[in-house]
Amino acid sequence: MKSNVRSLERVENIKGWLLSGPYWIFAAIFFGYPFVWLVVLALSKWNFISPRETIWLDNFIKLFRDPMFWTVTWNTIRFMFYFIPMGLTLSIALAMAFSKAKRFKTFFAMSFLIANVSSGVAYSIIFTQLFSTNGPVNNFLYDHFGVFIPWFSDPNWAMFSIAIMVTWKFMGYYALIFLAGLQAIPKELYEAAEIDGATKWTQFWKITLPLLNPSIVMVMVLAITLTFGIFTEPFMITGGGPLNSTQTFMMVIYTDAFLKYEPGYAATMSIVAAGMSFALILLTRKLIERKVEFA
Amino acid sequence: MKKKVGLLFLTVVMIVAIVGFSEAITLTLWTAPNPNQNLFWKTLLPEWAKTHPNIKIKWSQIPAAGSSEEAILTAIASNRQPDICTNIFSGFAAELISSKAIVPLDSFAGFKDLVKARDMSNVIKKWEYNGHYYVLPIYVNPMLVWWRKDILAKYGFNQPPRTYSQIYDLAKKVVIPHRRYVYQAVTGVNWWSRWFDFITDYYAASGGKPYIYPEKQVAVFNNKYGKEVANFIYTLFKDHYTAVDLGNLPFYNGAVVGMIMGPWSIPYAQRQFPNILKNDVVVTPPPVPDNYPKDKPIYTFADTKGMIIFKTSKHKEAAWEFMKWVYSNPEHDVLWIKLTQMPPAREDLLTNKLFAPYLKDPVFAAYAKYVPYSVPPALSSKTVSIQQAMTNKLIEPLMYLKTTPQKALNDAVAAVNNILFQ
């Protein structure tokens, strides 16, 4: 009896390894090996061509002394400060609008996803043209109000303008996540609240928002990850300027690795940036994640 | 028996050797990912194949990546680099040279003959590094200023401005705030933008003198020429004669009267704005300080790229043979002009009858004329860092009027020297 159980366990064990084996091989090749290589690079001085030299923690010391690292960290915080409130508010509003739609709900939702799947390069060019000095937005503002906004050419405006673009791109995607969250909230809760005399505003603050917590946490996690990975928009539109106000981690990592031939230093910055985003995600979850039960 | 076996073995060895030696060599060639240049190689390579059956060329564009340099570096790191590669700019060449990744071309027999045959003795001198030549320049794109003839005429100017003061005088008449400016002083805030504004203006003001002293690798652009240029840029922004953002297609939309352009703008203008190109464009060298001698030629920046042979190539002599074949025949440069409209790196464009048909186009003729007066950027492996420092310490403070031209220059030179001494 015992031996039969053992033999069954062995068969199950083999089956398990066989089924998960391809994934492990894939993960080892495409995640494990690059990760190990990333750590090796971060501890090295190399220019792609000459032999690699191990310099241990020198790249990390150099990084924390590099003013560009601190500029980029500050830019990332500024971007988050603009993007997360804008993205959350607009996508929740959009999701609530979707949930109220009687017809073509899916069509509207999918329409907003077009921005998300469109090419970053293409829409960056379109936005550059729309918001340029002699573009339609500024022409309208100048002709009707006599004002002119230096969207991408003023250090105080440039990051905000990029945040507007990124919000436009991701608003529809985040709204779909919120829509799923809204649909999961039982209608009875609203009916009961109405009977108790709660206004729509109270219902939103006391029912909708608390019960949307899992979706809010998910969107926050996605938004933080996105913030540390932003590249196409500033690269295409501002080149990191004016006065380095739109330099991002990804832009500096790319420039250091492939234009300044310092992949070791770039690897160090990517590890630190990943660590920062991971820490921020943990902090966010700790601060705002709540257990939600509908029953 | 032993004799028979020995004879058989010898025969087999001889057959293998004969087959081996007569087997065609295959060279890998990577060229710039540019449709016009692709057409050039596509046309040329079948001719080579006809005349050189023993040296086959496996041609492809530089693989898709963020930049050519990125693709080439990745290839080097994984030991997949080609034998021959084009699209090499000076800064990248310096990095490849200092890492001993490429071959000095003057080590091959016939190098001097090729330089003479292509009439490029002066052009190639600017590519000298440590007393050797590692890159064969393919084309030289002088940076010149396009002026809107129609706007100049409207305000009573028969000639485009030549000096800084003439530009200020023109600005006083043509500038309409938020609508039209006189000259694009700054071309962007990317590291490469400095080639097309400060460095171009510096070469013009100094008569082609270096901004980084080549032997000692010391930045020297806080001299009197640099001061003139910095003051010029600063004045344009301070007096609102130019703006940070000039909008879309500012030259063609008439948002700016003058703008630095490369010859690659010609085919674009031919397709998109043929009337403006035909009737309203006049081309001049970059502006110069007021005291610049009238009889002295004006120098400018050369956007130039070249061809190299990698040290890892197993067939360096064959690669050199190919390079010689491409560039010793002027007909190939005629084809190059026809397909790319970029001036080849040779000094006889105005005198060689073969090129005469292309000089009928006044805009292309202007570019051809300035090839001998075009200077490439400083050969430094730290080009990107240097030009980022120029942007952050010099150009942006001037654009946003954050400091005086003198202080901006001193800060930029200090920052660049700091990079060079590291």
Side-chain angles (χ1 to χ4, degrees):
Chain A
M1 182 66 187
K2 228 177 189 180
S3 69
N4 277 350
V5 171
R6 270 190 195 159
S7 143
L8 201 65
E9 269 177 2
R10 200 176 297 130
V11 170
E12 286 298 308
N13 198 12
I14 291 167
K15 258 191 203 170
W17 278 110
L18 280 176
L19 286 171
S20 61
Y23 169 75
W24 287 112
I25 293 167
F26 179 85
I29 295 171
F30 294 103
F31 297 105
Y33 174 69
F35 184 75
V36 171
W37 181 228
L38 182 81
V39 175
V40 171
L41 267 184
L43 305 175
S44 312
K45 189 179 180 188
W46 190 45
N47 69 350
F48 290 97
I49 308 166
S50 309
R52 190 175 53 79
E53 182 193 339
T54 304
I55 54 166
W56 300 112
L57 294 177
D58 285 7
N59 279 331
F60 288 89
I61 295 165
K62 185 181 165 190
L63 182 81
F64 292 114
R65 285 179 180 166
D66 185 354
M68 183 55 84
F69 170 73
W70 296 107
T71 304
V72 169
T73 305
W74 175 234
N75 288 347
T76 308
I77 294 168
R78 280 171 51 233
F79 180 83
M80 249 186 302
F81 181 75
Y82 299 133
F83 172 62
I84 293 182
M86 253 194 311
L88 275 181
T89 316
L90 291 174
S91 49
I92 290 176
L94 194 64
M96 292 185 75
F98 285 155
S99 68
K100 301 273 185 251
K102 299 277 184 230
R103 288 181 195 171
F104 307 120
K105 197 185 279 188
T106 315
F107 171 75
F108 288 133
M110 289 301 139
S111 307
F112 275 89
L113 264 188
I114 289 175
N116 192 250
V117 295
S118 59
S119 147
V121 174
Y123 73 73
S124 293
I125 294 169
I126 292 169
F127 269 87
T128 311
Q129 307 220 341
L130 279 177
F131 289 92
S132 71
T133 307
N134 58 358
V137 174
N138 265 326
N139 277 343
F140 175 82
L141 289 172
Y142 195 69
D143 292 343
H144 291 83
F145 306 103
V147 292
F148 154 84
I149 299 176
W151 296 98
F152 295 118
S153 55
D154 186 292
N156 299 315
W157 276 94
M159 191 56 106
F160 178 65
S161 308
I162 287 173
I164 292 176
M165 278 176 62
V166 179
T167 304
W168 168 81
K169 182 178 166 81
F170 284 91
M171 200 168 70
Y173 175 50
Y174 294 163
L176 282 187
I177 296 171
F178 283 126
L179 184 63
L182 285 174
Q183 284 172 343
I185 301 174
K187 298 259 183 308
E188 295 80 15
L189 291 176
Y190 292 103
E191 286 164 8
E194 260 181 42
I195 291 167
D196 289 343
T199 60
K200 292 280 178 200
W201 189 242
T202 313
Q203 286 175 33
F204 175 76
W205 284 104
K206 301 288 180 186
I207 301 171
T208 310
L209 215 53
L211 295 183
L212 264 185
N213 184 279
S215 309
I216 293 174
V217 172
M218 186 175 173
V219 168
M220 289 277 285
V221 168
L222 290 174
I224 291 167
T225 317
L226 174 88
T227 300
F228 281 86
I230 192 160
F231 177 79
T232 311
E233 294 82 2
F235 185 77
M236 287 295 297
I237 298 172
T238 58
L243 297 169
N244 285 328
S245 62
T246 58
Q247 286 284 3
T248 64
F249 276 113
M250 283 298 142
M251 284 180 72
V252 177
I253 288 167
Y254 173 78
T255 310
D256 284 347
F258 295 110
L259 298 173
K260 295 185 183 173
Y261 324 120
E262 290 183 34
Y265 188 62
T268 309
M269 191 175 277
S270 67
I271 287 173
V272 172
M276 284 165 79
S277 80
F278 192 65
L280 206 60
I281 287 168
L282 284 181
L283 185 72
T284 307
R285 290 188 64 181
K286 195 160 180 63
L287 289 177
I288 65 167
E289 196 167 28
R290 299 282 177 272
K291 200 174 179 188
V292 172
E293 281 176 15
F294 297 121
Chain B
M1 184 64 189
K2 268 187 181 176
K3 265 187 181 177
K4 276 184 182 173
V5 171
L7 204 65
L8 190 70
F9 178 74
L10 203 65
T11 314
V12 169
V13 167
M14 280 175 74
I15 290 168
V16 168
I18 289 165
V19 169
F21 282 121
S22 61
E23 200 177 285
I25 289 168
T26 301
L27 294 173
T28 315
L29 166 70
W30 283 4
T31 61
N34 171 294
N36 296 337
Q37 293 186 40
N38 279 349
L39 205 56
F40 170 78
W41 293 108
K42 210 173 174 179
T43 315
L44 198 67
L45 289 175
E47 276 186 44
W48 165 267
K50 270 187 224 162
T51 51
H52 298 79
N54 288 335
I55 307 175
K56 288 186 178 160
I57 304 289
K58 193 178 158 198
W59 166 61
S60 67
Q61 288 187 98
I62 294 171
S67 65
S68 295
E69 291 79 33
E70 181 187 333
I72 295 165
L73 285 171
T74 315
I76 293 172
S78 53
N79 210 18
R80 289 180 298 105
Q81 62 270 51
D83 296 284
I84 310 166
C85 191
T86 72
N87 214 30
I88 305 296
F89 90 91
S90 57
F92 189 44
E95 180 68 22
L96 294 173
I97 297 165
S98 57
S99 303
K100 299 186 172 69
I102 55 178
V103 179
L105 302 178
D106 51 354
S107 65
F108 292 110
F111 175 78
K112 281 183 184 167
D113 296 337
L114 175 62
V115 169
K116 204 175 165 190
R118 206 181 179 216
D119 201 348
M120 57 191 299
S121 318
N122 288 318
V123 170
I124 204 161
K125 264 182 202 161
K126 293 153 194 164
W127 283 87
E128 188 186 328
Y129 195 94
N130 293 341
H132 291 283
Y133 299 97
Y134 293 82
V135 185
L136 192 85
I138 298 174
Y139 61 84
V140 173
N141 286 332
M143 300 309 297
L144 298 176
V145 182
W146 290 21
W147 293 97
R148 284 289 295 258
K149 212 162 39 177
D150 52 335
I151 301 175
L152 292 174
K154 191 177 162 190
Y155 289 90
F157 290 86
N158 297 323
Q159 293 291 321
R162 179 180 167 274
T163 63
Y164 299 158
S165 288
Q166 287 171 359
I167 290 183
Y168 303 149
D169 290 342
L170 176 66
K172 284 170 194 156
K173 298 219 170 152
V174 300
V175 169
I176 306 167
H178 298 304
R179 294 282 183 227
R180 187 168 62 216
Y181 294 94
V182 70
Y183 182 71
Q184 188 189 39
V186 172
T187 57
V189 292
N190 291 300
W191 67 268
W192 63 82
S193 307
R194 303 297 67 82
W195 285 335
F196 311 121
D197 43 53
F198 180 78
I199 297 173
T200 295
D201 291 335
Y202 178 86
Y203 280 152
S206 66
K209 291 193 169 56
Y211 55 95
I212 290 174
Y213 198 61
E215 280 81 17
K216 291 180 183 167
Q217 287 285 299
V218 177
V220 290
F221 56 86
N222 58 344
N223 53 20
K224 60 179 179 177
Y225 311 115
K227 267 180 221 164
E228 294 272 14
V229 176
N231 274 324
F232 171 59
I233 295 172
Y234 185 77
T235 307
L236 288 175
F237 281 103
K238 181 174 66 71
D239 293 344
H240 304 288
Y241 294 158
T242 192
V244 171
D245 179 5
L246 294 167
N248 312 318
L249 305 168
F251 183 77
Y252 303 106
N253 285 331
V256 74
V257 187
M259 190 166 162
I260 290 180
M261 303 263 215
W264 54 80
S265 301
I266 303 172
Y268 174 77
Q270 277 170 346
R271 280 195 309 272
Q272 303 292 332
F273 302 97
N275 290 334
I276 293 178
L277 181 68
K278 196 176 167 192
N279 306 314
D280 300 330
V281 172
V282 57
V283 181
T284 69
V288 287
D290 298 353
N291 58 1
Y292 193 88
K294 276 189 177 167
D295 54 346
K296 194 178 165 188
I298 297 175
Y299 284 76
T300 187
F301 171 77
D303 168 68
T304 173
K305 300 248 173 104
M307 189 183 250
I308 54 161
I309 299 175
F310 278 101
K311 219 168 208 171
T312 45
S313 170
K314 287 177 187 160
H315 310 291
K316 295 183 191 75
E317 287 295 336
W320 172 244
E321 199 56 40
F322 174 74
M323 228 181 215
K324 264 196 316 189
W325 179 83
V326 175
Y327 294 108
S328 55
N329 186 348
E331 292 286 355
H332 297 166
D333 281 329
V334 171
L335 181 72
W336 174 268
I337 298 175
K338 187 182 162 191
L339 296 175
T340 67
Q341 289 185 302
M342 293 197 285
R346 52 191 305 150
E347 291 149 46
D348 61 349
L349 291 171
L350 297 182
T351 52
N352 192 326
K353 280 179 187 167
L354 281 171
F355 305 113
Y358 300 95
L359 299 175
K360 283 176 191 159
D361 173 358
V363 179
F364 180 79
Y367 282 101
K369 185 180 160 192
Y370 278 92
V371 167
Y373 307 113
S374 301
V375 187
L379 276 169
S380 170
S381 57
K382 293 173 177 169
T383 298
V384 176
S385 301
I386 289 169
Q387 292 185 197
Q388 274 187 340
M390 280 180 169
T391 305
N392 297 335
K393 301 288 180 186
L394 173 64
I395 294 298
E396 289 192 320
L398 294 178
M399 284 163 81
Y400 294 100
L401 310 175
K402 295 275 182 198
T403 182
T404 61
Q406 183 63 63
K407 182 164 185 320
L409 267 177
N410 290 341
D411 289 350
V413 165
V416 170
N417 281 333
N418 196 26
I419 292 164
L420 289 167
F421 297 153
Q422 270 172 15

